[in-house]
Amino acid sequence: MQDRPPLGDTPPEIFRKQLQQLADWIADFRENLKKLRVAPNDKPGAIRAALPAQAPEQGEAFEKILADIDQLIVPGMVHWSHPMFLGYFGWTQTAPGILGEIISAPLNVNAMTWRTSPAATELETVVIDWIRQWVGLPTEFDGVVYDTASVGIFHALAAAREEAAPSTRKLGLTGRNLPPFRIYTSDQAHNAAEKAAIALGIGEENVRRVPSDSEFRLEVSILRTMIAKDRQSGFKPMAVVATAGTTSTAAVDPIRELARVCRKEGMWLHVDAAYGGGFALLPEYRWITEGWSEADSIIVNPHKSLFVPLDFSVLYVRDLERLRRVFTLTPPDVLRADAVETVKNYMDYGVQLGRRFRALKAWVIFRSFGRDGIAARLRESTRLAKLLADWIQSDKNFELSAPVSMGVVCFRFIAGDKSKIDRLNSEIVERINSSGQAYLNQTKLRGKTVMRIGLGNVLTTKQHLRNAWELIQKTAEEL
Ligand SMILES: Cc1ncc(COP(=O)(O)O)c(C=O)c1O
């Protein structure tokens, strides 16, 4: 009979060597990142075809696994942390972020109750409060960490639904003669509100898109008319989802005015500050927080603009008990002794039971950079965004398509045959992305295709941006 490897874990002396090997691998990867293609140009299925369809019967050596990562996985990645990755909302990988992720791994806790992980629970509360102070929310706001903003918005709207129709958590929505609910959000907002409406039994079509103004902000006067009409038709207006930093242009809705509407109409106001939330830390961006203190809930994604690697999203609720009331249950028998009632058990604040120790990585990053270091990095992304806007404005073949907001710049190539401009803009983006030299987005604004760059990556310098801009100009010329 063949000798089997011993059971249990890797022997400590081998594990230490593997860790050292991994440390070198990570440091080499970060150093060489700029030399990699930003994105692959493979056909769908190419990576899968290179991988075995069946899991191995016998264990394999770490060296072999790492070699396959180098050969098969790394070339098949879009490198979001590459300095020429200019898509979405920049990206948030930093050395302290990587260290924070690594430290969480051996601790491997499940932060479902205070007793199952006292330090994870209490550090989560501390980090949530640090961010609250940074963005200037009053102390009535307390929060909970989820993976993503989409999940946070779902939970916020679950609380809104419970207040609009008490006992829904117990009885459900059907057979109770309830009016259909309506949720309002701008035509620029993220579709996380629709996702929540689907999951909450409110229905996707009951999320009403309110037109936005010339600067892509929700038009409050139109909202008022829509609410009045809906009431007349028998709907119950339940919530408004305002945005501070929309996905396409980072526009900021007039939240104070929306708070007034919500108060008058008895509706829940949720603020989606998934992107904008981080910028609220800068005094010069404090204006975006106007009206936040009157909201019922606010989502902030430190994984978009506070340098915490994916995933880390905080939902703040004014009087967090409103959220707990919706989701807390008598714990199952096996958990009862671990669910001390007098302390915070984060399992009570949402659907999820098992929870990662996300607060640790945020704590490592926030301590490593300090508020000052974070502010300086955010300011650099706004400086680069303005610089790019200047270059765009000084080239007659291009125009800005929206006001530059935070790290987001939307622009359009406008030279040549007007009937082909949309296609040309799309092709410029496609060509650049498939070249592997840079990565940007395209989006639609008022039906027009535009290019979009999001700055925020700590590795992106003025020179990288200049190279990307020259690549865009050159690609446009060639088409
Ligand atoms: C404004 C806004 N809200 C919500 C989301 C959803 O974020 P998440 O991926 O954390 O669910 C996004 C994603 O880009 C967004 O731009």
Side-chain angles (χ1 to χ4, degrees):
M1 211 175 89
Q2 227 187 341
D3 270 357
R4 281 176 178 274
L7 296 181
D9 211 347
T10 309
E13 63 284 5
I14 297 181
F15 183 51
R16 188 176 294 275
K17 279 208 187 98
Q18 291 172 339
L19 279 176
Q20 283 156 354
Q21 197 182 350
L22 185 63
D24 281 337
W25 186 91
I26 294 172
D28 288 345
F29 174 77
R30 287 290 282 175
E31 251 180 84
N32 296 324
L33 185 55
K34 56 184 174 299
K35 296 183 209 145
L36 299 178
R37 284 179 65 95
V38 186
N41 197 20
D42 297 326
K43 296 249 169 332
I47 295 150
R48 192 171 165 198
L51 296 167
Q54 270 98 38
E57 206 55 44
Q58 252 80 53
E60 298 180 79
F62 181 62
E63 287 74 11
K64 186 162 181 290
I65 300 169
L66 204 52
D68 279 352
I69 290 173
D70 276 328
Q71 276 156 35
L72 302 173
I73 306 298
V74 171
M77 303 284 295
V78 172
H79 290 291
W80 288 65
S81 306
H82 194 293
M84 295 293 276
F85 181 87
L86 305 167
Y88 304 96
F89 286 119
W91 206 240
T92 46
Q93 194 185 79
T94 62
I98 296 171
L99 295 178
E101 289 273 30
I102 295 171
I103 301 166
S104 317
L107 297 177
N108 186 36
V109 292
N110 189 332
M112 52 192 178
T113 68
W114 174 82
R115 192 165 263 173
T116 61
S117 51
T121 299
E122 295 187 19
L123 189 65
E124 181 164 334
T125 307
V126 167
V127 165
I128 286 170
D129 204 58
W130 283 7
I131 302 170
R132 179 193 66 74
Q133 294 170 43
W134 279 350
V135 304
L137 283 174
T139 48
E140 305 112 83
F141 283 87
D142 192 1
V144 51
V145 175
Y146 299 119
D147 51 0
T148 56
S150 305
V151 167
I153 293 171
F154 160 81
H155 285 95
L157 291 176
R161 188 187 67 171
E162 192 66 18
E163 295 199 0
S167 298
T168 296
R169 64 159 276 172
K170 271 205 171 71
L171 306 171
L173 285 172
T174 49
R176 293 172 65 200
N177 217 9
L178 291 168
F181 297 126
R182 285 252 147 121
I183 297 166
Y184 305 84
T185 197
S186 96
D187 59 11
Q188 298 298 309
H190 193 269
N191 65 12
E194 274 90 355
K195 284 259 181 99
I198 293 166
L200 291 166
I202 289 169
E204 178 188 349
E205 287 191 0
N206 287 316
V207 177
R208 308 310 287 174
R209 292 292 184 147
V210 185
S212 52
D213 66 14
S214 59
E215 297 194 359
F216 306 101
R217 300 167 301 198
L218 187 149
E219 283 264 20
V220 183
S221 57
I222 304 182
L223 169 71
R224 286 201 188 93
T225 311
M226 287 169 74
I227 292 174
K229 271 200 190 143
D230 278 353
R231 281 206 194 279
Q232 273 171 9
S233 313
F235 292 99
K236 184 173 172 65
M238 183 190 101
V240 170
V241 177
T243 313
T246 56
T247 312
S248 281
T249 67
V252 178
D253 286 336
I255 294 164
R256 177 153 288 154
E257 271 182 81
L258 292 171
R260 247 177 257 137
V261 173
C262 287
R263 208 172 319 121
K264 176 166 167 275
E265 300 283 348
M267 294 163 73
W268 183 285
L269 174 61
H270 176 76
V271 177
D272 176 355
Y275 176 58
F279 286 85
L281 171 148
L282 300 175
E284 62 271 32
Y285 271 93
R286 251 312 143 83
W287 63 269
I288 70 171
T289 68
E290 272 173 31
W292 288 15
S293 59
E294 294 161 59
D296 295 283
S297 55
I298 297 175
I299 199 98
V300 176
N301 264 14
H303 77 223
K304 280 188 167 57
S305 50
L306 283 175
F307 304 102
V308 181
L310 195 77
D311 49 18
F312 192 101
S313 180
V314 191
L315 173 70
Y316 291 96
V317 180
R318 189 152 42 75
D319 181 8
L320 190 61
E321 183 56 23
R322 297 157 88 192
L323 178 66
R324 202 185 77 90
R325 277 199 296 269
V326 184
F327 287 102
T328 183
L329 287 167
T330 306
D333 291 338
V334 72
L335 253 179
R336 194 152 306 162
D338 277 338
V340 183
E341 276 187 16
T342 50
V343 294
K344 201 176 252 171
N345 297 306
Y346 279 114
M347 68 173 184
D348 289 339
Y349 297 83
V351 168
Q352 201 177 352
L353 171 62
R355 311 174 73 254
R356 298 178 39 168
F357 190 0
R358 293 194 183 87
L360 186 63
K361 62 183 173 184
W363 191 59
V364 173
I365 295 154
F366 296 164
R367 290 187 60 188
S368 303
F369 286 158
R371 201 203 62 83
D372 241 30
I374 290 176
R377 285 170 176 81
L378 287 175
R379 283 201 180 103
E380 176 62 2
S381 57
T382 62
R383 184 185 79 87
L384 291 178
K386 286 188 193 125
L387 203 59
L388 173 62
D390 288 346
W391 297 337
I392 292 165
Q393 282 175 309
S394 58
D395 184 332
K396 63 177 181 354
N397 292 334
F398 291 83
E399 68 178 13
L400 281 179
S401 310
V404 175
S405 179
M406 301 178 234
V408 176
V409 185
C410 290
F411 58 103
R412 182 165 149 94
F413 177 64
I414 47 169
D417 183 346
K418 295 278 168 266
S419 67
K420 295 195 181 131
I421 297 280
D422 276 343
R423 199 157 48 78
L424 277 176
N425 278 273
S426 176
E427 273 184 30
I428 295 169
V429 174
E430 292 292 326
R431 234 190 231 202
I432 291 174
N433 291 357
S434 56
S435 78
Q437 295 180 70
Y439 197 99
L440 56 153
N441 291 124
Q442 51 182 307
T443 186
K444 284 262 183 202
L445 293 177
R446 310 260 177 265
K448 291 181 179 167
T449 304
V450 308
M451 292 180 262
R452 177 191 176 286
I453 281 184
L455 291 151
N457 185 337
V458 294
L459 299 180
T460 303
T461 61
K462 179 180 167 191
Q463 189 56 52
H464 292 115
L465 190 60
R466 185 76 214 174
N467 294 347
W469 171 236
E470 285 169 8
L471 182 62
I472 293 165
Q473 288 175 308
K474 187 165 145 279
T475 311
E477 245 167 56
E478 285 166 7
L479 277 170

